[in-house]
Amino acid sequence: QQQVKQSPQSLIVQKGGISIINCAYENTAFDYFPWYQQFPGKGPALLIAIRPDVSEKKEGRFTISFNKSAKQFSLHIMDSQPGDSATYFCAAGGSTGFQKLVFGTGTRLLVSP
Amino acid sequence: DTGVSQDPRHKITKRGQNVTFRCDPISEHNRLYWYRQTLGQGPEFLTYFQNEAQLEKSRLLSDRFSAERPKGSFSTLEIQRTEQGDSAMYLCASSLAGTGKAGELFFGEGSRLTVL
């Protein structure tokens, strides 16, 4: 019940294209769903996050879509750039009390020039 | 720099040796977490502190691992009698509980451990 399943494992997108990464969770107690971006040799950096009271959140070129009934959420990167090439992790947790962040297995994104 | 800092960034040790990692969280954050990340995987929770109290430990944290946060500020993670399976990136993160932002974890750059 603590798992977060992420797909695809890797993704190649042309510059200017849309990158889409999907995640699914099981624990309905989760109420906080962040996405992290990680470059090689660096720690994960918080990119964008959503709570289940909204179905979509947009920040610049990054959008999270959230489907509470399906227990799924996705990250869309519009106008993908070579600088977006990194590993992306979805996660799920709680915004209050303690619900540790549970991470997906990651998606390695390569944006070709 | 006011982010989470970790030291050392890299540690190579021989099997059976003890190693210690230090984490300095963002100064106003009262929660501190340790995660472990192996190649090609997402971070896995090890333990967390609220102020100086260690409130949860994962089953991944064997008795060879110990973490402390003595004054509610920096934390140390010690691994005794290291094994090759301990080779991983050890990530520290912090967050601010009590503001509805407890889940917003800010990670350091990690301490990479290689056990020969």
Side-chain angles (χ1 to χ4, degrees):
Chain A
Q1 245 207 343
Q2 291 295 317
Q3 278 191 323
V4 177
K5 296 181 180 179
Q6 183 172 347
S7 64
Q9 190 173 14
S10 62
L11 183 60
I12 300 174
V13 172
Q14 287 203 329
K15 179 181 175 182
I18 303 174
S19 305
I20 302 174
I21 305 170
N22 301 298
C23 281
Y25 65 99
E26 298 172 352
N27 189 342
T28 55
F30 291 146
D31 68 349
Y32 177 70
F33 302 91
W35 285 89
Y36 281 81
Q37 179 188 57
Q38 187 175 31
F39 292 103
K42 303 291 186 181
L46 180 62
L47 192 61
I48 185 173
I50 196 168
R51 300 185 197 282
D53 52 343
V54 296
S55 60
E56 186 174 282
K57 183 174 181 180
K58 183 175 181 179
E59 289 183 2
R61 297 184 294 109
F62 300 91
T63 300
I64 300 179
S65 296
F66 185 80
N67 185 330
K68 188 174 181 177
S69 60
K71 294 188 284 186
Q72 295 176 347
F73 58 110
S74 60
L75 176 70
H76 296 232
I77 306 174
M78 313 300 287
D79 187 26
S80 298
Q81 299 296 311
D84 298 330
S85 298
T87 300
Y88 292 81
F89 294 95
C90 62
S95 56
T96 59
F98 182 67
Q99 281 274 8
K100 59 182 178 285
L101 273 186
V102 180
F103 284 81
T105 51
T107 296
R108 183 176 289 185
L109 172 65
L110 176 64
V111 181
S112 59
Chain B
D1 182 25
T2 57
V4 177
S5 63
Q6 293 188 243
D7 183 71
R9 292 291 314 281
H10 304 274
K11 179 72 176 178
I12 300 173
T13 191
K14 293 182 179 179
R15 188 164 51 102
Q17 297 295 304
N18 299 345
V19 296
T20 300
F21 301 114
R22 175 180 169 126
C23 172
D24 287 88
I26 294 172
S27 58
E28 63 267 27
H29 284 183
N30 50 12
R31 282 195 181 165
L32 186 147
Y33 308 79
W34 286 98
Y35 278 77
R36 181 173 69 185
Q37 186 177 26
T38 52
L39 204 60
Q41 298 298 313
E44 295 175 293
F45 171 79
L46 293 178
T47 188
Y48 96 104
F49 294 82
Q50 176 135 342
N51 300 312
E52 65 276 8
Q54 187 174 18
L55 298 185
E56 183 165 333
K57 294 193 292 186
S58 162
R59 288 173 294 176
L60 293 174
L61 214 64
S62 77
D63 57 6
R64 296 184 297 105
F65 288 69
S66 63
E68 294 182 342
R69 194 183 183 197
K71 296 182 179 179
S73 55
F74 74 92
S75 175
T76 58
L77 176 69
E78 181 183 17
I79 309 173
Q80 296 182 326
R81 306 181 303 281
T82 53
E83 302 173 354
Q84 289 184 325
D86 297 332
S87 295
M89 175 80 86
Y90 289 86
L91 293 164
C92 178
S94 67
S95 72
L96 184 60
T99 62
K101 295 188 176 183
E104 288 189 18
L105 269 59
F106 293 85
F107 282 87
E109 300 211 321
S111 292
R112 179 166 294 284
L113 174 64
T114 302
V115 182
L116 302 176

